[in-house]
Amino acid sequence: MQGTYRTAFITGASSGIGRGLAAWLARRGVRVFGAARRLEELEALAREVQSEGEIVPVQLDVADARSTLEVIRSIDESCGGLELVVANAAIAPETPGHALAWDTVEQIIDVNVRGAAATLGAVADRMVSRGSGHLVGISSQAAGRGLPRHVAYSASKAFLSNFIEGLRVDLGPRGVKVTAIHPGFVRTPGTAGNAFKMPFLLEVDDAVDRIGRAIFRGASDFSFPWQAATVSKLSRLLPNGLWDRAVRGFGTPGD
């Protein structure tokens, strides 16, 4: 698999899946531009893998969509063209419908919707001009239906999944690969505070290896683990009344 990509850009690279995927790619010969708000965490990651690969820390807050566009385009120019761009950064604070805090909803939209769209759209046209490239969005199995206490998060992931699919339809014939990743529950800092039982929970290294291999083989859509993916698919067939009763009091897959 080594040498599949020369350069990659990943958001949310300071922790969780993003951190693990940045290291996974770097160890396979990819020069990774790892972006996040916490520069010190990125620098620590770069030192951790420096004997095996290269991670270039990029301090960036994807909630600022305009800045995200500018930073990615600048890196694309300076490195001779990004070959892989991964929109991974996301947040998942609770947004219960009965106590909806607009500040929280707005923050989720800024990061998970505007930030992700800016990340994936920043150099899409340039990849088309080059006739190659790969765009990857880390969505969630929460995208399938609206979920209790996380109404904004599940909606944001539904947006991302459909945005990725539209990109795939448009860009595939133009030589650009597009991949949607739909993880179930993964043990990361983002899920550490969940008070409910997380079925089919995966360790982050396992999840990262699965995601990395799906990217390298050019999968158009990858949902995992299969047990959770099956439940997610079946849930879309349930009538609204059954769905409502089934998920009340339950949680949501996180990043």
Side-chain angles (χ1 to χ4, degrees):
M1 292 191 295
Q2 185 169 342
T4 302
Y5 301 96
R6 184 178 56 87
T7 55
F9 182 93
I10 303 176
T11 61
S14 62
S15 65
I17 289 174
R19 186 182 194 281
L21 186 59
W24 192 94
L25 290 167
R27 288 174 175 137
R28 285 159 179 79
V30 183
R31 187 185 185 204
V32 179
F33 294 87
R37 291 177 300 168
R38 297 178 294 172
L39 182 60
E40 66 280 3
E41 295 292 338
L42 296 173
E43 291 172 340
L45 176 60
R47 290 192 296 270
E48 181 182 316
V49 304
Q50 63 184 353
S51 64
E52 303 169 273
E54 182 182 8
I55 294 178
V56 181
V58 179
Q59 189 169 31
L60 176 68
D61 183 356
V62 298
D64 185 340
R66 182 61 56 183
S67 176
T68 298
L69 286 168
E70 293 171 354
V71 167
I72 297 175
R73 288 169 178 168
S74 176
I75 291 173
D76 184 74
E77 292 170 2
S78 66
C79 76
L82 289 166
E83 297 176 357
L84 172 65
V85 173
V86 182
N88 166 75
I91 57 174
E94 287 195 0
T95 49
H98 65 277
L100 207 57
W102 175 249
D103 286 349
T104 305
V105 173
E106 189 172 40
Q107 186 181 22
I108 290 171
I109 292 171
D110 285 344
V111 175
N112 299 10
V113 175
R114 289 168 53 83
T119 299
L120 294 171
V123 293
D125 58 340
R126 298 180 184 185
M127 287 182 171
V128 169
S129 296
R130 295 191 286 261
S132 65
H134 194 169
L135 299 173
V136 177
I138 308 297
S139 186
S140 168
Q141 289 180 31
R145 298 199 69 157
L147 294 170
R149 302 199 311 277
H150 291 81
V151 297
Y153 176 77
S154 58
S156 72
K157 290 301 186 178
F159 167 87
L160 180 56
S161 291
N162 281 279
F163 189 77
I164 296 167
E165 185 164 50
L167 288 175
R168 187 188 73 236
V169 172
D170 279 347
L171 303 184
R174 294 169 171 81
V176 179
K177 291 182 287 187
V178 181
T179 298
I181 304 291
H182 293 92
F185 289 108
V186 179
R187 194 190 306 277
T188 69
T191 60
N194 286 352
F196 53 86
K197 182 178 180 181
M198 295 179 285
F200 315 117
L201 179 67
L202 294 178
E203 298 299 326
V204 68
D205 288 347
D206 184 3
V208 163
D209 188 64
R210 297 183 192 213
I211 292 170
R213 291 178 182 276
I215 291 172
F216 271 39
R217 67 174 176 264
S220 62
D221 188 287
F222 179 55
S223 299
F224 70 97
W226 69 266
Q227 300 97 325
T230 300
V231 171
S232 179
K233 289 178 182 178
L234 291 175
S235 75
R236 298 169 202 170
L237 303 177
L238 289 177
N240 289 345
L242 287 178
W243 171 252
D244 294 354
R245 289 194 293 273
V247 298
R248 284 187 179 123
F250 192 61
T252 179
D255 292 309

